[in-house]
Amino acid sequence: MKQTTLTAALLLLILAAAFAQSNKLTDEKIKEFEAQKIAFFTHELEITPEEAIHFWPLYNEMQKKHRDIEQQRRQACKALAAKDSAKEADYLDAIRRMQEAEQRILDLRKEYYALILRHLPASKLWKLESAERKFHRQLLNKLNHTPKK
């Protein structure tokens, strides 16, 4: 779970850095990324068109909420780092907030996995985290092998 969260956060940072070179993430690049993700996950999870109709809206909603939680967690970390002289209580508060964020992510997955299981067999959902890791690894490899401008 922690590895998936760290991988997702790292991926977002790398994507932001890669697309920052062109100074903005264009709609075209976003659509291209989403199309690649859909194709990859559909293949890896062996999702049928009927299953896809239900899976993708739920998955995308879950991912958006996950990103929102991660953003809040990062803001809390930045706030602590910005303090000139943080006290022990500040660190304890930051640890508590990080743990709460991790728990919210876990609760989010539980909630959405239950919803997704109404439309996908457990054997396909089981492959989801593995597919996410493979996709992120593939994307990182592609970014690492892209010629620098």
Side-chain angles (χ1 to χ4, degrees):
M1 177 62 138
K2 281 186 180 181
Q3 184 179 11
T4 301
T5 302
L6 285 173
T7 303
L10 179 63
L11 176 66
L12 290 174
L13 287 173
I14 290 172
L15 281 174
F19 292 124
Q21 292 173 359
S22 65
N23 291 334
K24 64 180 177 179
L25 186 58
T26 64
D27 287 342
E28 183 178 307
K29 288 179 182 176
I30 292 171
K31 287 178 184 175
E32 179 184 337
F33 173 78
E34 288 299 319
Q36 290 174 358
K37 182 172 82 171
I38 289 169
F40 186 87
F41 280 43
T42 299
H43 173 74
E44 287 290 312
L45 303 179
E46 301 172 1
I47 297 174
T48 67
E50 296 80 24
E51 292 168 337
I53 291 169
H54 301 287
F55 171 75
W56 285 109
L58 290 170
Y59 180 78
N60 290 336
E61 188 176 311
M62 177 179 69
Q63 288 301 103
K64 183 190 179 319
K65 290 180 180 181
H66 185 277
R67 282 190 304 272
D68 291 345
I69 294 169
E70 280 296 320
Q71 182 179 6
Q72 292 168 6
R73 187 189 63 76
R74 281 190 305 276
Q75 287 173 344
C77 291
K78 283 181 184 179
L80 178 63
K83 287 190 176 198
D84 288 333
S85 58
K87 296 178 176 43
E88 193 66 19
D90 297 324
Y91 289 105
L92 285 171
D93 184 55
I95 291 168
R96 180 189 53 77
R97 291 170 73 177
M98 285 176 36
Q99 289 173 331
E100 287 173 356
E102 289 175 11
Q103 185 61 52
R104 287 197 321 258
I105 290 170
L106 180 60
D107 293 343
L108 181 70
R109 281 189 181 266
K110 281 177 80 172
E111 175 188 352
Y112 277 87
Y113 280 16
L115 294 170
I116 291 170
L117 282 170
R118 294 179 186 170
H119 307 286
L120 282 178
S123 59
K124 291 183 180 185
L125 183 57
W126 176 258
K127 299 175 187 177
L128 181 59
E129 285 189 40
S130 174
E132 287 173 333
R133 281 191 303 278
K134 284 181 184 177
F135 181 71
H136 294 156
R137 201 173 315 121
Q138 177 182 309
L139 187 61
L140 288 171
N141 286 337
K142 186 184 289 187
L143 287 171
N144 285 335
H145 293 95
T146 301
K148 307 236 187 300
K149 295 180 181 181

